[in-house]
């Protein structure tokens, strides 16, 4: 039987687009055999497996201006722009409960991508449950260099999965997913350019030359992946859902109305493509 997968790109608060797409899929009862998320795609996508419609946009609108959630104060005091304790314990366990029981009971496989910064390579962690230290994998996947400290798990140090595999289609195909719905947060004409900030990156990651090398070539790897996705879509093995235009939102957006607007763009794009999605997934 053909395995159907869901690939969730990151992009910080562009992930509100993904949240809108996923909520519409849930509202229409559309399920898949597995999902893999990178950075915001992992942190927000876990709500798809737990079946929590509306949770992503709700807590982001509620806390986007809360200094406990994301602030320069948190960065200076803890080394993390997004406060680890507040984001990965207080919110999911106390303020806007994550349904860990539903996540564990849903048979859909769910993978999180993080970067092992000592090896400079992607690590794909299957999440069978989310409780206690399991949240560290989601934090690692979304920990941006410079804006977050490396996350140590079982003796290894990790940062954002997008450093080494922003759109892990090849990984999912390698473990048997033959038909994949790919949700991107950039329009079809987007191509990544080489980023600046090399001095800051060298300062933050000077002890990890393999990760610095991965960052240096990231734009090339990303654009090659876009070409591969286009090839697989032409072959009928992939369906891409993405915004039609550049999303009007900052990576670290603090305006709740802009978050909601991008979320609504995701909803509209998904509703527009529901027939295509159903036909693709049969």
């Amino acid at each position: 039987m053909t395995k159907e997968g869901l690939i969730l790109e990151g992009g910080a608060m562009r992930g509100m687009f993904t949240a809108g797409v996923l909520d519409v899929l849930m509202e229409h009862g559309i399920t898949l055999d597995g999902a893999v998320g990178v950075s915001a795609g992992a942190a927000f996508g876990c709500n798809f497996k737990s079946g929590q419609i509306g949770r992503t946009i709700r807590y982001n609108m509620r806390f986007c201006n809360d200094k406990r959630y994301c602030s320069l104060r948190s960065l200076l005091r803890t080394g993390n722009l997004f406060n680890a304790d507040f984001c990965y314990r207080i919110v999911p366990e106390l303020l806007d409960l994550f349904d860990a029981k539903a996540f564990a009971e849903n048979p859909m496989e769910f993978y999180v991508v993080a970067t092992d910064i000592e090896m400079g390579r992607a690590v794909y962690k299957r999440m069978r449950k989310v409780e206690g230290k399991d949240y560290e994998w989601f934090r690692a996947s979304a920990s941006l260099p410079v804006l977050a400290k490396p996350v140590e798990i079982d003796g290894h140090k990790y940062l954002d999965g997008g450093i080494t595999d922003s759109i892990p289609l090849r990984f999912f195909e390698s473990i048997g997913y033959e038909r994949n719905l790919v949700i991107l947060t950039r329009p079809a004409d987007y191509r990544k350019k080489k980023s600046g900030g090399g001095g800051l990156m060298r300062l933050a990651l000077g002890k990890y030359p393999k990760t610095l090398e991965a960052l240096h070539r990231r734009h090339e790897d990303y654009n090659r992946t876009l070409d591969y996705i286009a090839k697989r879509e032409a072959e009928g093995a992939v369906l891409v859902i993405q915004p039609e235009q550049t999303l009007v939102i900052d990576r670290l957006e603090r305006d709740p109305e802009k978050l909601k607007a991008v979320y609504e763009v995701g909803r509209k794009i998904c509703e527009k493509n529901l027939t295509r999605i159903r036909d693709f997934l049969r």
Side-chain angles (χ1 to χ4, degrees):
M1 186 174 179
T2 301
K3 289 177 70 175
E4 297 171 338
L6 178 64
I7 317 294
L8 306 173
E9 182 184 20
M13 289 307 170
R14 292 197 311 273
M16 292 302 105
F17 172 86
T18 302
V21 173
L22 295 181
D23 280 356
V24 171
L25 294 180
M26 286 190 280
E27 289 165 3
H28 289 268
I30 296 174
T31 60
L32 298 97
D33 300 303
V36 56
V38 182
S39 196
F44 301 157
C46 60
N47 295 293
F48 184 72
K49 181 170 163 63
S50 65
Q52 292 179 271
I53 298 170
R55 181 175 181 268
T56 299
I57 185 62
R58 182 176 65 240
Y59 78 74
N60 276 283
M61 288 184 67
R62 179 181 174 186
F63 298 118
C64 63
N65 283 305
D66 193 317
K67 288 182 171 58
R68 297 172 298 171
Y69 186 60
C70 173
S71 66
L72 180 60
R73 183 178 68 178
S74 175
L75 180 62
L76 294 174
R77 288 185 175 181
T78 72
N80 297 300
L81 185 69
F82 286 87
N83 185 277
D85 187 58
F86 188 79
C87 294
Y88 296 97
R89 186 184 66 83
I90 293 175
V91 171
E93 295 182 359
L94 298 174
L95 301 180
D96 197 319
L97 300 184
F98 178 70
D99 194 340
K101 183 174 183 291
F103 183 97
E105 292 177 350
N106 185 338
M108 183 182 77
E109 295 182 344
F110 194 93
Y111 289 82
V112 167
V113 185
T115 296
D116 182 323
I117 59 173
E118 292 172 324
M119 301 301 295
R121 66 185 182 195
V123 173
Y124 308 92
K125 172 66 175 178
R126 183 176 176 186
M127 306 302 300
R128 291 178 168 82
K129 59 183 179 60
V130 182
E131 56 186 38
K133 292 184 178 180
D134 298 320
Y135 283 105
E136 292 295 88
W137 281 104
F138 291 93
R139 183 162 78 92
S141 183
S143 288
L144 297 168
V146 179
L147 299 180
K149 296 189 301 184
V151 179
E152 188 164 336
I153 304 172
D154 298 330
H156 295 270
K157 295 178 181 178
Y158 300 99
L159 281 174
D160 193 291
I163 296 170
T164 45
D165 196 352
S166 296
I167 315 169
L169 172 61
R170 287 186 180 89
F171 163 69
F172 241 32
E173 289 182 336
S174 76
I175 61 172
Y177 284 88
E178 301 169 73
R179 298 177 66 79
N180 290 287
L181 180 64
V182 178
I183 302 179
L184 303 180
T185 58
R186 302 279 198 179
D189 61 354
Y190 176 77
R191 287 299 180 273
K192 188 176 287 296
K193 298 177 181 178
K194 187 173 182 178
S195 63
L200 279 175
M201 291 299 178
R202 284 192 294 273
L203 183 63
L205 297 170
K207 295 189 294 184
Y208 310 105
K210 292 181 180 179
T211 293
L212 278 175
E213 183 182 339
L215 280 165
H216 181 74
R217 66 170 188 271
R218 185 184 176 218
H219 64 295
E220 298 172 349
D221 293 342
Y222 185 92
N223 293 334
R224 277 195 292 268
T225 298
L226 290 180
D227 293 339
Y228 180 73
I229 289 170
K231 173 179 176 291
R232 295 297 285 150
E233 187 167 34
E235 294 168 349
V238 160
L239 176 64
V240 176
I241 302 297
Q242 62 193 142
E244 295 173 346
Q245 299 175 346
T246 300
L247 297 171
V248 183
I249 192 169
D250 291 335
R251 285 177 60 83
L252 303 175
E253 185 62 62
R254 307 295 290 273
D255 184 340
E257 293 307 314
K258 288 185 178 179
L259 297 179
K260 185 67 180 299
V262 169
Y263 169 80
E264 292 296 338
V265 171
R267 289 189 60 90
K268 289 176 183 176
I269 291 291
C270 190
E271 288 165 351
K272 179 179 177 180
N273 286 280
L274 272 174
T275 299
R276 291 178 66 223
I277 292 169
R278 286 197 176 102
D279 288 346
F280 177 73
L281 298 175
R282 303 196 184 111

